[in-house]
Amino acid sequence: MVSHTAQHPPAVSAVTLHVNGVPHRLTLDNRTTVLDALREHLALTGSKKGCDHGQCGACTVLIEGRHTNSCLKLAVSCDGAEITTVEGLADGENPHPVQRAFLDRDGFQCGYCTPGQICSAVGVLTEVADGHPSHVTPVPPSGSEAAPEPVRLTPEEIRERMSGNLCRCGAYTNIVAAIEDVAG
């Protein structure tokens, strides 16, 4: 293993991250995660560093519309990608429907996990709209000619799809209700 010294500086790359609709040209150590790029280089601190192992979901953002643990994704792998953080969901002064539902349903307590929960919920709604099944989605038996039913966002579906987001305060019931409200 090569130590990083003046003779052997860490490898860096120039990347462009399109964050909340704004392109940012950065030169980053190749080991920099999306989370650290957002927090340390762009001062977007909504996404939280919880476990730093992809187990809690506090760092969840949308990358190309998919909810992603930003602590596990290297920024260099996202060169040119569209990244949406909780700060980029609102439409001006109007909160995103999921943000509004979290407020209306009291889907948070301490608020630490809330940005990741909200970004995950937005990603879940997109997955469902696109017809992507989850582990609990009923599918026709193998060999059946029946077309799969559209995905219904039941509480069980929501819990399965949101299972990567932990809330130490236990606001799960209200989080599920908020997502149900937006799903209609």
Side-chain angles (χ1 to χ4, degrees):
M1 186 166 132
V2 176
S3 64
H4 297 290
T5 65
Q7 290 178 318
H8 301 286
V12 297
S13 294
V15 297
T16 301
L17 303 177
H18 298 270
V19 182
N20 301 328
V22 178
H24 296 276
R25 187 87 172 137
L26 304 167
T27 300
L28 301 171
D29 180 317
N30 289 345
R31 300 166 296 176
T32 303
T33 64
V34 170
L35 177 61
D36 288 335
L38 293 170
R39 292 183 60 82
E40 306 300 328
H41 296 271
L42 299 177
L44 293 169
T45 57
S47 305
K48 303 298 187 246
K49 187 174 276 204
C51 66
D52 218 16
H53 295 288
Q55 297 173 342
C56 73
C59 67
T60 303
V61 298
L62 301 168
I63 299 177
E64 298 295 334
R66 297 183 54 93
H67 52 116
T68 305
N69 290 333
S70 64
C71 73
L72 296 180
K73 191 85 166 164
L74 293 176
V76 295
S77 72
C78 294
D79 187 21
E82 294 290 335
I83 300 170
T84 304
T85 68
V86 71
E87 294 95 339
L89 291 175
D91 181 14
E93 294 296 315
N94 299 317
H96 185 280
V98 173
Q99 291 171 314
R100 177 84 261 149
F102 267 64
L103 290 168
D104 292 346
R105 286 294 191 155
D106 198 22
F108 56 91
Q109 287 183 26
C110 80
Y112 195 82
C113 72
T114 306
Q117 296 274 4
I118 289 172
C119 284
S120 281
V122 171
V124 162
L125 292 167
T126 300
E127 285 175 358
V128 169
D130 291 345
H132 296 288
S134 77
H135 179 70
V136 299
T137 305
V139 293
S142 181
S144 169
E145 292 185 26
E149 296 287 322
V151 178
R152 288 184 45 246
L153 203 51
T154 63
E156 183 183 29
E157 275 287 345
I158 294 169
R159 285 190 295 273
E160 171 64 24
R161 291 171 186 267
M162 294 291 292
S163 65
N165 290 83
L166 303 179
C167 174
R168 291 187 57 149
C169 300
Y172 297 116
T173 301
N174 296 349
I175 291 167
V176 170
I179 296 168
E180 282 182 301
D181 286 353
V182 178

